[in-house]
Amino acid sequence: MTKFAKLSRIIAAQGAVLLKNESDFLPLQDNENVAVFGRCQFDYYRSGTGSGGSVNVEYATDFINSLKEREQVNVNEEVFCAYKRWVSENPVNKGDGSWASEPWSQEEMRVDEELIKNAATVSSKAIIIIGRTAGEDKDYTAEPGSYYLTDVEQQLITNVCKHFGQVGVVLNVSNIIDMSWENDDIDMIIYAWQGGMEGGNAIVDVIVGDITPCGKLPDTIAHSIDDYPSTKNHGGSKRNLYQEDIYVGYRYFETFAPQKVKYPFGFGLSYTTFEVEIISECKLLSEYHIDIKVTNTGDTYGGREVIQVYSEPPQGYLGKPTCALVGFKKTKYLEPGESEEFELVIPLNLVASYDDSGATRYKSAYVLEQGEYLLHISNSCRYIYDTVRFTIPHCLIVTQLYEALAPTTNFSRIKPLFNADGEVTIAYEKVPVRNVDLVKRIKIRVPNEIEYTGDKGYKLQQVRDGEIVMEEFIAQLSREDLEILVRGEGMSHPDVTPGTASAFGGVTEKLRAFGIPLVCAADGPSGIRMENGSYATQLPIGTLLASTWDTELIERLYVMEGKELKENYIDVLLGPGLNIHRNPLNGRNFEYFSEDPILTGKMAAAVVRGIKRGGANATLKHFACNSQESYRHEIEAIVSERALREIYLRGFEIAIKEGEATSVMTAYNPINGHWCASNYDLNTTILREQWRFKGIVMTDWWARMNYVIDGGPATRTNVASMIKSQNDIYMVVGNYGAETNENNDNLSEALNSGWLALGELQRCAMNICKFVMATRSLERNEQLFSKPQLFEAMEANPQVPPLVDLAIDIREKTEQFYFDQAGVYQVDVTYSSIAKGFAQTTCNILLNNKLMTTIQVGNTKGESVTKKLATVQLVEGAYELKLDYVSGELSINRIAFVPIHD
């Protein structure tokens, strides 16, 4: 096992969250006899689905084989053999191979009650494994087999509880699921989540006591899906009202409905116990300092505790959650009786509230309202060890900003209303709508045009070396060069690491002649997606990472991820994802961290720092409010400026300011009338001006934009509005399509009319070049994958037909031909795709069992398209061409070899 995989395994174990452990069910003791039920003991889910889960691994682990290999406990062989036989006869249903077609759960074996009864005479304990998955373009649904258990799973739990004295449940899931099935006969419940390629080993490490569980919930588990205030607005097709406002997750439940909580945010059990005491405390001008001592008070097991600090502010004029996370720290591993002392520093800006209405008289400012503030030292949002207090004598401005991204639609949001007895009810108030003149805001910030000088012989490296300034370099680029530069190409670009998501920067020979290298970006965040079949390390999912509450450990993990990216010549990982878990039914929650923005931001910052230390760059996504996968390209987030500032943007802000992130990907959806890719207040006002972000902003793949001022319908061609908003790069046009403006975007037209200023385009070009200078691509100073790949002929076969006109019309998945004109050739592939919506589909093309190229495309609506995909060197002889399709949605019709002459 590599060091990378070993650390991944440790983290996957430390992110497991033990919710229940009655009768000392765990850890399993040596030589105990255990019966394991559920097909996911074999078919362990490593990750969710879609681009964030598509990692090719050299090996994978599962629960049952890992448990048996330890030889610490005795596994019931009759039950094991029954499942092994059934699983072999009922293989995993992967759908039809098309995008997002894999089901949420697999068919479960109907276990004969007699088998359970017999097993209970041999085994003292039973463990049931429940598995679920979802992902990109596939939300969970409030149905059996998805968010709810199936009848077969329910019956399995009932029958096992009937015959066994001790029963435990392991949840191998990508997200919290309904837990109404829990009963008093179940002694143990643990969320294993999805731990990547080492996840099977990791959860067994916890089960047998090699690692003491120390994970804490990153989300609230309520009694019912309808208890979450966002559920009534989740899943629409046109617009989504964020009426719960800042009251997301535990902020809502602890304020309005504590009785609806089954397991609170931040909760998680250990095999030992801890005592926490405050040693000292003091308030400085902008921070609160608390010295804490944590002691392991158990006598058997070592372990780690997470100290969480929650603010309880005065309600004031604004109204606030009664509980909000403002800081946390995970202890080192403490042996029984051992203590650790450390300082927690709580920035008061995290305690402040944003006034978007002027109720405090300080509109568009973070404020501390007058009154007493409590800081609870806790191990969940419910259990409080101790409390410190401080008083703000009068309302204080923490940060004065100015209005940005306010809604244009009138709607009401919830607000707490307390009576004289302190009892709270839900009241409503109108949300402040946009007041600013967006036309004026944009116009006064249009940058001056840099006068075109033509080629002066300057290279980008000279800017990096300080020999010239960036403006001198950009002045050399013609208008056409600038237009090309803001178009990224992909997927599976032939000139960068095969099977990756995109190439941008030096997409033409002329741009590369200026010293602008070709930059490679790959999907993530839980491992590198390379559709050419190359292996990568698959990491635990985002939800599990957040459950560790351990930023130092996560940073160490992603240092290794950065090194793996560097080794594969990948400059940019498209992750981490840090959208808020607004609702449990969001299928892509597995890529994100938590319902809480502070935990989300701290985790994301750790990922960004780690990847940078390892030698690559991270991309924060999806900016912002990507709260559902259904209709994610259309559904408008209608949300108050306060909720955006305090909840949905705060994680991004922390990752940028603390992690020093330099790459951001915008979301598909519109926010308050403007699609994210052309949202000026999102990409310029807040991100660049108020947060001082220095980096690039890219669209999500094949995104749409509407008019940056007027809004309206969105198209993929309105790149001029993208540029005006300061979203720098359109992702993606087809490979080698940037120079020809393959997507027919409106850049040239907008420049000709004067609607788009050349200075605005130059501004984005400078953003791109500054980012590129900080990547390894500039150091490589060459295209590693653009050189012709040599293919040797196989042994001649008289039956093999000669290649006619240097092209082959594809009729079968395997074609043979004799090639009699040795030389260097450009490979052109003609194909069509009927992939659903914006889905991707892939085919690896092999020549004599060696990868020649990977074609990875979206929907062409059945129309034939011809693309250059590789450069090869062929010798005379016989060849066998193989097409390795992912699904039947892609059809390759013709492959031609075009001679390349010196």
Side-chain angles (χ1 to χ4, degrees):
M1 189 193 308
T2 66
K3 290 182 179 179
F4 194 7
K6 184 177 181 180
L7 182 57
S8 175
R9 173 174 173 172
I10 291 170
I11 288 173
Q14 296 209 11
V17 181
L18 182 62
L19 296 184
K20 190 175 184 181
N21 195 29
E22 304 292 337
S23 306
D24 295 325
F25 188 98
L26 293 182
L28 300 180
Q29 302 300 306
D30 289 351
N31 298 315
E32 274 193 300
N33 198 298
V34 180
V36 183
F37 298 88
R39 75 171 297 155
C40 282
Q41 62 183 289
F42 289 97
D43 298 322
Y44 172 84
Y45 281 117
R46 304 192 310 268
S47 179
T49 58
S51 60
S54 300
V55 182
N56 295 313
V57 295
E58 192 171 359
Y59 68 91
T61 60
D62 62 46
F63 180 90
I64 192 62
N65 287 299
S66 181
L67 184 63
K68 286 173 68 67
E69 287 165 5
R70 311 294 176 98
E71 298 183 347
Q72 291 176 249
V73 300
N74 300 313
V75 173
N76 189 297
E77 285 296 320
E78 184 182 10
V79 176
F80 170 79
C81 290
Y83 270 100
K84 185 176 182 179
R85 182 171 54 253
W86 188 86
V87 166
S88 68
E89 295 169 355
N90 297 270
V92 168
N93 175 11
K94 297 181 179 180
D96 60 11
S98 63
W99 190 259
S101 64
E102 183 178 340
W104 296 284
S105 60
Q106 298 295 317
E107 180 186 2
E108 190 55 81
M109 172 177 157
R110 293 179 179 272
V111 184
D112 187 270
E113 191 173 351
E114 195 65 25
L115 175 63
I116 298 172
K117 184 177 180 181
N118 291 340
T121 64
V122 177
S123 304
S124 58
K125 293 178 179 177
I127 293 177
I128 301 168
I129 316 287
I130 302 292
R132 288 292 186 276
T133 196
E136 189 173 5
D137 282 315
K138 193 177 184 71
D139 279 331
Y140 283 102
T141 61
E143 298 172 352
S146 184
Y147 187 70
Y148 293 104
L149 298 192
T150 64
D151 290 342
V152 174
E153 290 167 331
Q154 291 272 16
Q155 191 62 51
L156 176 63
I157 290 174
T158 298
N159 288 341
V160 170
C161 288
K162 177 180 176 182
H163 294 285
F164 277 84
Q166 289 187 282
V167 178
V169 177
V170 175
L171 297 169
N172 172 209
V173 295
S174 63
N175 191 17
I176 59 173
I177 63 170
D178 173 72
M179 294 187 65
S180 59
W181 44 267
E182 181 185 354
N183 60 60
D184 291 341
D185 293 326
I186 296 174
D187 299 280
M188 186 276 292
I189 300 174
I190 190 167
Y191 269 84
W193 308 114
Q194 295 169 340
M197 59 195 286
E198 280 291 334
N201 283 334
I203 188 57
V204 174
D205 288 340
V206 177
I207 294 291
V208 301
D210 290 345
I211 291 181
T212 299
C214 54
K216 304 287 186 178
L217 282 175
D219 297 302
T220 305
I221 300 177
H223 287 283
S224 166
I225 188 63
D226 293 325
D227 291 334
Y228 295 92
S230 58
T231 297
K232 67 178 182 179
N233 284 313
H234 177 84
S237 61
K238 295 298 181 183
R239 67 179 199 170
N240 194 326
L241 294 176
Y242 285 52
Q243 291 180 296
E244 72 279 8
D245 206 53
I246 61 171
Y247 299 93
V248 178
Y250 72 92
R251 285 171 165 80
Y252 168 80
F253 289 109
E254 299 308 308
T255 305
F256 298 107
Q259 74 282 0
K260 294 182 178 181
V261 174
K262 193 172 185 66
Y263 289 103
F265 176 84
F267 176 79
L269 299 174
S270 173
Y271 294 156
T272 189
T273 54
F274 298 92
E275 180 181 89
V276 176
E277 59 180 308
I278 296 175
I279 300 172
S280 64
E281 56 173 291
C282 68
K283 179 182 174 297
L284 300 181
L285 185 63
S286 60
E287 298 173 336
Y288 208 100
H289 292 244
I290 309 170
D291 290 313
I292 291 175
K293 181 180 179 180
V294 183
T295 304
N296 181 347
T297 54
D299 56 13
T300 305
Y301 297 101
R304 305 179 69 193
E305 177 65 303
V306 179
I307 304 304
Q308 305 161 38
V309 183
Y310 293 89
S311 166
E312 183 179 344
Q315 286 298 310
Y317 292 104
L318 297 176
K320 304 173 187 71
T322 57
C323 179
L325 183 72
V326 291
F328 61 91
K329 169 78 174 179
K330 194 164 191 174
T331 69
K332 67 179 183 179
Y333 184 85
L334 299 175
E335 296 288 356
E338 186 179 5
S339 298
E340 180 185 10
E341 295 182 11
F342 53 82
E343 181 184 51
L344 272 170
V345 179
I346 309 302
L348 294 185
N349 69 301
L350 295 184
V351 182
S353 301
Y354 187 78
D355 183 354
D356 61 359
S357 66
T360 66
R361 295 185 300 157
Y362 301 112
K363 189 177 186 301
S364 303
Y366 280 100
V367 298
L368 290 169
E369 289 198 78
Q370 177 182 358
E372 185 181 49
Y373 288 77
L374 282 64
L375 297 178
H376 300 299
I377 315 303
S378 314
N379 75 350
S380 75
C381 71
R382 284 280 173 91
Y383 184 81
I384 300 172
Y385 285 120
D386 207 344
T387 298
V388 299
R389 292 171 164 82
F390 64 93
T391 300
I392 299 295
H394 53 82
C395 187
L396 293 178
I397 298 177
V398 176
T399 307
Q400 181 65 62
L401 298 170
Y402 44 89
E403 181 197 305
L405 206 53
T408 56
T409 300
N410 289 303
F411 71 106
S412 295
R413 61 185 174 189
I414 66 174
K415 180 180 180 179
L417 179 64
F418 288 85
N419 63 21
D421 297 325
E423 296 173 335
V424 64
T425 56
I426 294 178
Y428 287 88
E429 66 177 6
K430 289 185 177 180
V431 173
V433 294
R434 191 170 80 192
N435 252 335
V436 300
D437 185 337
L438 199 55
V439 174
K440 182 178 179 181
R441 173 172 286 180
I442 294 172
K443 185 176 181 179
I444 64 174
R445 292 181 176 129
V446 173
N448 293 327
E449 178 182 327
I450 301 170
E451 186 177 352
Y452 176 60
T453 63
D455 190 351
K456 294 288 188 179
Y458 298 142
K459 308 299 181 187
L460 188 58
Q461 181 70 45
Q462 291 175 268
V463 182
R464 184 174 179 177
D465 294 342
E467 297 175 13
I468 59 171
V469 297
M470 180 61 77
E471 285 78 4
E472 290 177 280
F473 176 78
I474 291 296
Q476 302 178 105
L477 303 184
S478 68
R479 201 182 85 170
E480 290 73 21
D481 295 329
L482 296 167
E483 291 178 26
I484 293 166
L485 184 58
V486 299
R487 301 174 186 135
E489 295 183 343
M491 300 177 69
S492 293
H493 199 286
D495 294 338
V496 295
T497 303
T500 50
S502 76
F504 65 91
V507 292
T508 64
E509 290 185 11
K510 186 178 178 185
L511 289 174
R512 290 193 293 274
F514 283 114
I516 303 174
L518 201 57
V519 179
C520 178
D523 278 324
S526 300
I528 307 170
R529 178 189 182 193
M530 292 180 283
E531 290 290 345
N532 65 331
S534 296
Y535 294 132
T537 307
Q538 188 168 33
L539 310 180
I541 63 172
T543 304
L544 189 154
L545 297 180
S547 298
T548 68
W549 293 64
D550 191 336
T551 56
E552 293 177 8
L553 199 57
I554 301 310
E555 184 170 339
R556 282 176 52 199
L557 180 72
Y558 276 86
V559 168
M560 295 184 178
E561 176 76 341
K563 290 179 179 178
E564 190 167 270
L565 288 160
K566 180 182 174 184
E567 289 167 1
N568 284 281
Y569 307 105
I570 298 168
D571 307 292
V572 182
L573 183 74
L574 302 176
L578 55 160
N579 293 107
I580 294 297
H581 292 181
R582 180 178 177 236
N583 190 273
L585 298 182
N586 184 2
R588 213 164 178 177
N589 277 349
F590 81 95
E591 287 191 52
Y592 309 143
F593 295 109
S594 171
E595 69 186 21
D596 180 79
I598 308 302
L599 180 59
T600 292
K602 298 288 186 181
M603 287 291 158
V607 171
V608 172
R609 288 192 301 265
I611 290 176
K612 187 175 293 186
R613 285 174 54 198
N617 299 271
T619 299
L620 308 180
K621 66 179 187 183
H622 304 90
F623 192 55
C625 296
N626 190 94
S627 297
Q628 65 177 67
E629 287 301 293
S630 303
Y631 305 101
R632 62 181 173 141
H633 298 268
E634 292 87 23
I635 189 159
E636 179 183 3
I638 301 176
V639 54
S640 77
E641 187 185 358
R642 183 182 181 188
L644 285 166
R645 300 276 195 179
E646 292 190 24
I647 305 294
Y648 298 101
L649 299 183
R650 177 160 268 176
F652 290 94
E653 182 179 9
I654 292 170
I656 287 165
K657 292 181 176 179
E658 297 183 13
E660 298 183 352
T662 55
S663 178
V664 168
M665 179 196 295
T666 47
Y668 285 125
N669 54 276
I671 300 176
N672 294 334
H674 295 278
W675 262 254
C676 290
S678 55
N679 194 314
Y680 186 88
D681 271 351
L682 183 69
N683 300 320
T684 292
T685 306
I686 293 175
L687 179 63
R688 298 184 188 274
E689 295 183 1
Q690 296 183 351
W691 295 352
R692 304 299 181 193
F693 172 74
K694 306 294 183 186
I696 58 165
V697 180
M698 65 179 75
T699 70
D700 205 337
W701 271 226
W702 307 292
R704 292 184 293 165
M705 294 74 57
N706 62 349
Y707 279 98
V708 68
I709 295 170
D710 303 325
T715 68
R716 296 188 200 174
T717 59
N718 195 354
V719 174
S721 280
M722 180 198 84
I723 295 299
K724 193 172 275 289
S725 82
Q726 212 174 167
N727 185 327
D728 305 300
I729 308 174
Y730 184 81
M731 294 291 193
V732 290
V733 300
N735 295 327
Y736 308 112
E739 188 170 14
T740 61
N741 189 16
E742 178 183 89
N743 278 17
N744 295 313
D745 68 45
N746 64 348
L747 273 179
S748 183
E749 175 187 344
L751 287 167
N752 288 339
S753 69
W755 186 85
L756 181 68
L758 185 61
E760 292 174 302
L761 185 57
Q762 290 170 327
R763 178 176 60 186
C764 288
M766 286 193 285
N767 291 338
I768 295 167
C769 288
K770 288 173 185 176
F771 175 82
V772 167
M773 283 195 306
T775 68
R776 300 281 178 174
S777 63
L778 195 63
E779 297 174 5
R780 289 197 295 271
N781 200 31
E782 63 175 331
Q783 286 179 262
L784 298 176
F785 299 94
S786 62
K787 299 171 184 176
Q789 186 178 185
L790 176 63
F791 286 86
E792 300 286 353
M794 63 183 184
E795 186 175 341
N797 181 342
Q799 304 276 324
V800 176
L803 190 66
V804 179
D805 296 330
L806 296 178
I808 181 168
D809 292 318
I810 303 299
R811 295 179 178 84
E812 305 291 339
K813 291 183 179 179
T814 300
E815 300 278 0
Q816 293 183 335
F817 59 89
Y818 189 88
F819 200 85
D820 60 3
Q821 300 180 43
V824 177
Y825 292 86
Q826 169 186 309
V827 180
D828 288 355
V829 179
T830 303
Y831 63 89
S832 61
S833 170
I834 54 171
K836 303 167 189 172
F838 294 87
Q840 307 151 27
T841 184
T842 304
C843 179
N844 286 318
I845 305 176
L846 298 96
L847 198 59
N848 290 351
N849 290 317
K850 179 180 176 182
L851 181 69
M852 181 173 70
T853 190
T854 299
I855 178 169
Q856 188 176 0
V857 299
N859 187 3
T860 70
K861 300 179 180 178
E863 297 179 6
S864 291
V865 177
T866 299
K867 292 286 185 184
K868 171 188 171 184
L869 286 178
T871 305
V872 299
Q873 182 178 354
L874 303 180
V875 300
E876 183 178 352
Y879 293 87
E880 183 175 72
L881 186 85
K882 289 184 179 178
L883 304 180
D884 181 16
Y885 290 98
V886 169
S887 73
E889 297 169 312
L890 174 63
S891 177
I892 296 177
N893 308 315
R894 182 179 173 88
I895 296 178
F897 297 91
V898 181
I900 297 177
H901 302 289
D902 294 334

